[in-house]
Amino acid sequence: MGLVPTIDLSSADAPSAIDRACREVGFFQIVGHGVDPAVEGAAWDAATEFFRLPLDDKMAVAIRTATRMATGRSPSSGWRRAAVSAPLPT
């Protein structure tokens, strides 16, 4: 798999395709999920609008209790601006 795999959730092969994509690529795109196209479009519009905001505006609504899995820090350390750009531990 060289490109981002597209997986049709309505396919009987979807579970094994998701497993393969996660192991070989790390992420995937889904189709056949049954989400109304209007809802899907509204979600994309909202995400685009949010990510165009300045960093300080995004940080104002950041979840303050990060998980170790997401940031490499313990939940008690809270959200840190460094977690946004810091590489995840291996």
Side-chain angles (χ1 to χ4, degrees), residues 46-81:
T48 299
E49 183 179 334
F50 176 78
F51 285 106
R52 284 186 176 151
L53 293 172
L55 178 60
D56 287 339
D57 290 353
K58 291 183 277 195
M59 294 304 292
V61 296
I63 297 170
R64 300 289 176 206
T65 53
T67 64
R68 183 167 182 74
M69 184 172 71
T71 64
R73 293 175 170 76
S74 67
S76 62
S77 68
W79 180 264
R80 299 191 196 280
R81 184 181 289 258

Side-chain angles (χ1 to χ4, degrees), residues 2-90:
L3 302 173
V4 175
T6 299
I7 299 170
D8 185 347
L9 291 183
S10 66
S11 166
D13 184 48
S16 62
I18 290 170
D19 178 66
R20 188 172 49 256
C22 289
R23 292 175 189 276
E24 296 176 12
V25 180
F27 50 92
F28 52 90
Q29 172 179 290
I30 59 170
V31 296
H33 43 63
V35 175
D36 183 295
V39 172
E40 186 179 353
W44 277 110
D45 292 345
T48 299
E49 183 179 334
F50 176 78
F51 285 106
R52 284 186 176 151
L53 293 172
L55 178 60
D56 287 339
D57 290 353
K58 291 183 277 195
M59 294 304 292
V61 296
I63 297 170
R64 300 289 176 206
T65 53
T67 64
R68 183 167 182 74
M69 184 172 71
T71 64
R73 293 175 170 76
S74 67
S76 62
S77 68
W79 180 264
R80 299 191 196 280
R81 184 181 289 258
V84 173
S85 61
L88 293 174
T90 55

